[in-house]
C-alpha cells in the first residue's frame, strides 16, 4: 500500500464485501467444511459473490457453514428465499455461479439439475 487513496479503495471494497455478508432477504449458504473447501467451496463462494455484485443484486446475504454430511456432493450451496423453501444445490462449480444467481436469486426459478435436497 503506497497511498491514502489505495487505503480508501481497500476500505470501500471491504465494506462492500461486508454488506454482501450481512444483508437481509435471500440467503446463500456455502458449505465450508474441509470437504467443501477441498472441493472448491472458496472459489464457488467468491464466484457467487462476484456474480451478485456484477449484477447489482441487493438484499442477498452470504454465509458459511460446516460439513452437513453429504461430502460426495460438495460443493454444497443452499439458497433460501424469504418465505420459500431451502434449496440445496450440489456439485456446484464456480462456472455454475452465473446460472444460480440469474435463475434462482434474481428470477426465483430453481435450477433443477443441481438440486440435491429441498426442505420447507
Amino acid at each position: 500500500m503506497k497511498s491514502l487513496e489505495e487505503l480508501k479503495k481497500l476500505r470501500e471494497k471491504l465494506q462492500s464485501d461486508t454488506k454482501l455478508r450481512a444483508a437481509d432477504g435471500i440467503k446463500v449458504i456455502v458449505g465450508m467444511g474441509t470437504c467443501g473447501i477441498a472441493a472448491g467451496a472458496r472459489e464457488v463462494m467468491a464466484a457467487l459473490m462476484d456474480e451478485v455484485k456484477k449484477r447489482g443484486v441487493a438484499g442477498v446475504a452470504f454465509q458459511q457453514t460446516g460439513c452437513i454430511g453429504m461430502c460426495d456432493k460438495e460443493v454444497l450451496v443452499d439458497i433460501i428465499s424469504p418465505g420459500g423453501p431451502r434449496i440445496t444445490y450440489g456439485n456446484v462449480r464456480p462456472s455454475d455461479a452465473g446460472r444460480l444467481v440469474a435463475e434462482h436469486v434474481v428470477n426465483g426459478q430453481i435450477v433443477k439439475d443441481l438440486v440435491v435436497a429441498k426442505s420447507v
Side-chain angles (χ1 to χ4, degrees):
M1 189 129 341
K2 297 180 180 176
S3 71
L4 184 57
E5 278 305 309
E6 288 178 338
L7 181 60
K8 286 180 181 177
K9 285 182 183 175
L10 177 61
R11 182 180 70 185
E12 290 170 7
K13 180 190 178 309
L14 293 175
Q15 286 175 334
S16 174
D17 289 349
T18 300
K19 285 180 186 173
L20 284 177
R21 291 178 187 264
D24 291 331
I26 295 175
K27 289 184 181 176
V28 178
I29 304 167
V30 179
M32 289 282 193
T34 53
C35 49
I37 291 170
R42 287 185 177 132
E43 293 81 5
V44 168
M45 180 109 161
L48 289 165
M49 292 176 80
D50 287 346
E51 192 67 28
V52 165
K53 196 182 289 185
K54 184 172 77 177
R55 292 175 176 270
V57 181
V60 179
F62 285 88
Q63 296 178 344
Q64 301 176 33
T65 190
C67 180
I68 62 170
M70 294 193 293
C71 303
D72 62 319
K73 304 280 188 219
E74 293 289 355
V75 173
L76 293 164
V77 175
D78 290 344
I79 299 180
I80 307 168
S81 301
R86 179 184 193 131
I87 305 298
T88 301
Y89 293 104
N91 298 313
V92 177
R93 302 293 170 250
S95 59
D96 298 318
R99 195 159 59 119
L100 286 173
V101 171
E103 293 182 29
H104 193 141
V105 174
V106 174
N107 293 319
Q109 301 296 315
I110 296 171
V111 181
K112 293 180 182 173
D113 61 304
L114 293 176
V115 172
V116 294
K118 179 179 176 183
S119 61
V120 180

